[in-house]
Every structure is written in C-alpha cells, then in structure tokens.
Amino acid sequence: MRKLFTAAAVYLGLGLFAGLFYREFTRAMDFTEQTQLNTLHTHLFVLGTFFFLIALGLDKAFNFSSLKGFSGWFVLHNVGIVWTIGFMVANGIVHVVSGPEAWGAMYAGMAGIGHIILTVSFIQFFVLLNKALKKEESARRAAA
C-alpha cells in the first residue's frame, strides 16, 4: 500500500510542476499556440495521482498488492506513464522551439509505445483486481 501512496504523491508533485513549467516556458518563449505541454499536468494527475489513489482504496478493500504479479504491474504502469509523459514533454518543447513540423512520424510512433504500455498495464490491473475480488468472495463464502 505504501508504494501506491508514494507513487500518487510523486505524480502529484510532477503534475504541479508540469503545469508551472508549461505556463512559464511558453510565456518565456512568447508562444500562444496549443502544445502537448498544456495537457501534461492533466495526464500526470489522472494516470498517476488519481489512478494510484483509487488503486490505494481498492487495495485497502481487496488487498490486491499481495497477489503475484502486483510488482510487475506496478513497474509496468510507471514505465508507461514515464514513457508517455517523456515524449509529451519532448514533443511540446520541440513544438514551441522549432514548430510542429519538426516532430516527425518516427517520434510520434515512439510516443505511441507509451500508450501501448499503459493499455497493457490497465488490462493487467483489471486482471489483478478480478483475482483479488474472487479471492475475497471465496473467503466470504468460507467464513459463512
């Protein structure tokens, strides 16, 4: 459970910093167009902070962190977030500094890998949660 709380807290700090970075970097560069930098803080809050807080509550109720596969899922989800956010930062900075045409298809494809990792992570999360629910149901039936 501590891992989930720590992850939520770290992503909260990163999300707050990302909002500040977006505002100050685009202001310093006198940039007024839309860029991926303006969605960084939302992605960090939702995929990191809020998701891990929800997972923390679910873990308190169903103890899914004790299941085999939890650590692998936890690492995979964090890798997916960091990969996705890293490419969003790179895309946003390139867009502000060099224009949108400087971000090629290869980089867009690399950024898409982060979304694939997150998709696998979400599927893995639901599999773990389902196992935890079944384990809880079995324990309740055995106690009755």
Side-chain angles (χ1 to χ4, degrees):
M1 283 181 41
R2 176 60 57 184
K3 280 181 170 181
L4 296 169
F5 172 79
T6 302
V10 166
Y11 287 117
L12 173 65
L14 290 173
L16 293 170
F17 178 77
L20 177 67
F21 175 75
Y22 158 69
R23 188 187 71 188
E24 295 304 321
F25 181 66
T26 55
R27 182 184 297 167
M29 299 298 287
D30 198 29
F31 187 84
T32 57
E33 296 175 37
Q34 293 293 318
T35 175
Q36 289 214 349
L37 293 176
N38 65 325
T39 61
L40 276 178
H41 67 286
T42 306
H43 278 75
L44 284 162
F45 288 149
V46 173
L47 294 172
T49 305
F50 298 145
F51 182 76
F52 281 119
L53 286 175
I54 291 166
L56 180 63
L58 291 169
D59 189 39
K60 178 72 173 160
F62 303 109
N63 195 28
F64 72 88
S65 65
S66 67
L67 295 174
K68 182 181 176 184
F70 171 82
S71 292
W73 163 77
F74 184 79
V75 169
L76 185 68
H77 192 74
N78 281 288
V79 166
I81 293 172
V82 170
W83 186 293
T84 300
I85 294 300
F87 273 96
M88 288 176 72
V89 169
N91 183 333
I93 291 172
V94 167
H95 188 133
V96 170
V97 173
S98 302
E101 64 282 347
W103 189 259
M106 180 186 76
Y107 298 113
M110 292 292 291
I113 292 172
H115 288 85
I116 293 168
I117 293 170
L118 284 171
T119 299
V120 171
S121 168
F122 280 117
I123 292 167
Q124 202 174 12
F125 175 77
F126 275 88
V127 167
L128 282 172
L129 187 57
N130 187 44
K131 285 180 185 177
L133 290 169
K134 287 179 179 179
K135 188 175 174 182
E136 175 74 19
E137 290 167 353
S138 294
R140 284 187 184 172
R141 279 193 292 268

